[in-house]
Structures are given as C-alpha cells and as structure tokens.
Amino acid sequence: MLYWALIFLIVALVAGVFGFGGIASASAGIAQILFFIFIVLFVVALIARAVRGRAP
C-alpha cells in the first residue's frame, strides 16, 4: 500500500510540474489517503504483535 501511495505522489509531482492542477491535486489526495491507511494498518499490526507475543 505504501508503494501505491508513493506512485500517486510521484504522479502528483509530475502533473504539478507540467501544470495539470486538477490531476495533481487528485493524485496528491489519493496518496495522502493511502499513506494514512498504511500508517493505521502498521500501528494495528504492531499492537497485534505486542499482544500475541513473539512467535517461537
């Protein structure tokens, strides 16, 4: 998921450089949403691992 967030961020930067404001803002918004979803899933995975303990 972090991979897709980075892809949309790169698309937003390239579109911004070439002057496509609508595409740039949409791609930046998608990248931001995917990044926050990734962060939430990462924190949930950390908590789940801490609760279950280490695997043998």
Side-chain angles (χ1 to χ4, degrees), residues 33-46:
I33 290 169
L34 288 176
F35 179 74
F36 285 125
I37 291 172
F38 171 77
I39 293 296
V40 167
L41 290 176
F42 178 70
V43 170
V44 168
L46 285 177

Side-chain angles (χ1 to χ4, degrees), residues 15-16 18-26:
F18 289 119
F20 299 109
I23 296 172
S25 65

Side-chain angles (χ1 to χ4, degrees), residues 9-34:
L9 178 64
I10 291 170
V11 168
L13 291 174
V14 170
V17 166
F18 289 119
F20 299 109
I23 296 172
S25 65
S27 295
I30 293 171
Q32 186 177 13
I33 290 169
L34 288 176

